[in-house]
Amino acid sequence: MKKVQDPLLETIVCCLGQPVAGNPTQFMMERAFEEAALDWRYLTLEVCPKDLSAAIKGLRALGFKGGNLTIPHKVAAIEHLDELSEAAALMGAVNCINRDGGQLIGENTDGKGFIQSLRKVIDPQEKQVVLFGAGGAARAIAVELGLAKVAKITIVNRGQERGQKLVDLLNERVQVNADLVVLEGDHVLEGGTEIVINATSIGLGDETAHVPLDMASLTSEMVVADVIFNPPNTQLIRGARELGCTTLDGLGMLVNQGVIAFKIWTGIEPNAQVMREALEEYLEL
Ligand code: NDP
């Protein structure tokens, strides 16, 4: 006899965001539910900014178990939630909602997903980090690096104002030593740099795009990571690999933020390998 779940809607999570042609996260999550023998669904729902409040009320009323938030809702969603995790509060951005009883709790799994990938190749504690970018992804990563007790973070950003805002947050609220370099030509890494991360959108959809880094200042002991997952084999990752650096592509971060969200919603550890394979299949890699 078929097992009927009750109430059915508790087994639905969703992604609220801008119009998308397709959603790799949906494909990855549905595959993970299937692998874990969970009769759950992950829906991609197009929500424009003026309807965000109503959409979150709807999620509450319908008893969805949770959801992801994507561009442009990661900051605006906060005022509609009941509680925030420590990291989400520091970042001022939420990419994951968990319904716990009647409460909607905002989490941020982007930075945690990145750190989980990073830990597979290096322990970030006491390391010197150079981070390109100061947008949402960079903020999430920088806060988690601070919470993981890195020695220093140098933010390299094109815009001074956004870069300084992130540096102030890191120094004042996360209490990690941080400074800012405003981009002028290719950035030359200082000796002692151990981890280099591209958290800008440079490389998205363009495998020839150049991150403004002087590649000659990379050395083979460094770990080089890129948040870009489509395509994952960015010019930065290819160049760093040729120089003998340890590299991390953006697929690892995408898989791990999904692994963390899956566990938050279901309480079950998903199969990360199956999730990565699903993404590779979806992205036709
Ligand atoms: P934002 O728009 O918030 O920030 C973009 C950042 O890139 C800013 O710091 C911006 O600098 C910088 N930038 C963009 N173009 C250039 C350029 N031509 N030269 C120099 N700097 C540039 O985007 P997000 O932070 O939300 O996302 C960044 C990337 O991260 C996206 O491509 C996204 O797909 C990816 N991402 C990957 C995830 C994963 O799981 N792998 C998860 C989340 C995001 P400025 O401040 O000067 O404008």
Side-chain angles (χ1 to χ4, degrees):
M1 190 174 67
K2 183 160 170 47
K3 188 172 155 246
V4 178
Q5 273 164 331
D6 183 33
L8 185 63
L9 291 169
E10 275 199 354
T11 62
I12 297 182
V13 287
C14 59
C15 182
L16 309 180
Q18 70 180 13
V20 276
N23 187 332
T25 304
Q26 175 178 23
F27 194 77
M28 173 177 78
M29 288 297 187
E30 293 260 332
R31 189 64 66 77
F33 289 146
E34 195 183 325
E35 166 75 14
L38 291 174
D39 193 13
W40 284 49
R41 295 291 174 273
Y42 187 105
L43 309 178
T44 299
L45 304 170
E46 182 183 326
V47 176
C48 58
K50 72 174 176 41
D51 294 327
L52 180 64
S53 165
I56 294 179
K57 279 196 186 114
L59 188 150
R60 234 183 242 282
L62 293 168
F64 281 24
K65 182 65 185 96
N68 283 130
L69 293 156
T70 186
I71 295 169
H73 302 315
K74 290 185 183 185
V75 175
I78 289 179
E79 64 177 289
H80 306 294
L81 305 175
D82 303 307
E83 247 182 75
L84 295 181
S85 68
E86 181 198 8
L90 281 170
M91 289 162 199
V94 165
N95 79 328
C96 176
I97 301 174
N98 183 37
R99 188 165 58 83
D100 186 6
Q103 301 288 100
L104 292 186
I105 300 163
E107 310 261 358
N108 197 311
T109 64
D110 280 337
K112 287 188 175 62
F114 177 82
I115 300 285
Q116 202 155 300
S117 276
L118 187 65
R119 282 194 194 283
K120 289 191 183 132
V121 295
I122 191 170
D123 177 0
Q125 192 168 351
E126 292 303 320
K127 299 296 185 298
Q128 306 266 358
V129 182
V130 171
L131 176 64
F132 285 82
R139 252 176 118 78
I141 290 171
V143 166
E144 292 292 349
L145 285 170
L147 295 175
K149 305 266 175 267
V150 294
K152 186 182 170 196
I153 307 177
T154 298
I155 300 295
V156 182
N157 200 48
R158 179 178 58 181
Q160 199 271 341
E161 199 181 324
R162 194 139 63 143
Q164 191 59 48
K165 239 178 159 171
L166 176 53
V167 165
D168 291 346
L169 168 77
L170 294 170
N171 281 315
E172 290 160 22
R173 298 202 46 212
V174 188
Q175 275 146 21
V176 57
N177 181 10
D179 63 7
L180 175 67
V181 173
V182 178
L183 266 172
E184 268 180 51
D186 283 355
H187 177 69
V188 179
L189 297 169
E190 281 182 9
T193 303
E194 292 159 293
I195 302 171
V196 182
I197 305 159
N198 174 39
T200 71
S201 40
I202 299 169
L204 182 64
D206 179 1
E207 62 184 8
T208 63
H210 172 69
V211 173
L213 164 69
D214 177 1
M215 296 298 278
S217 61
L218 280 174
T219 61
S220 60
E221 306 81 52
M222 295 178 187
V223 173
V224 178
D226 203 324
V227 299
I228 299 298
F229 62 85
N230 192 18
N233 215 5
T234 57
Q235 192 206 51
L236 174 67
I237 291 290
R238 293 195 310 275
R241 205 179 286 139
E242 271 167 30
L243 291 164
C245 304
T246 303
T247 57
L248 282 175
D249 67 31
L251 280 178
M253 174 177 174
L254 188 60
V255 169
N256 283 324
Q257 63 79 28
V259 164
I260 296 164
F262 190 103
K263 253 161 64 181
I264 289 173
W265 296 323
T266 68
I268 291 170
E269 178 82 38
N271 184 329
Q273 183 57 30
V274 162
M275 290 168 78
R276 177 153 185 139
E277 282 165 15
L279 272 183
E280 287 174 356
E281 183 184 326
Y282 185 87
L283 297 171
E284 297 176 353
L285 298 174

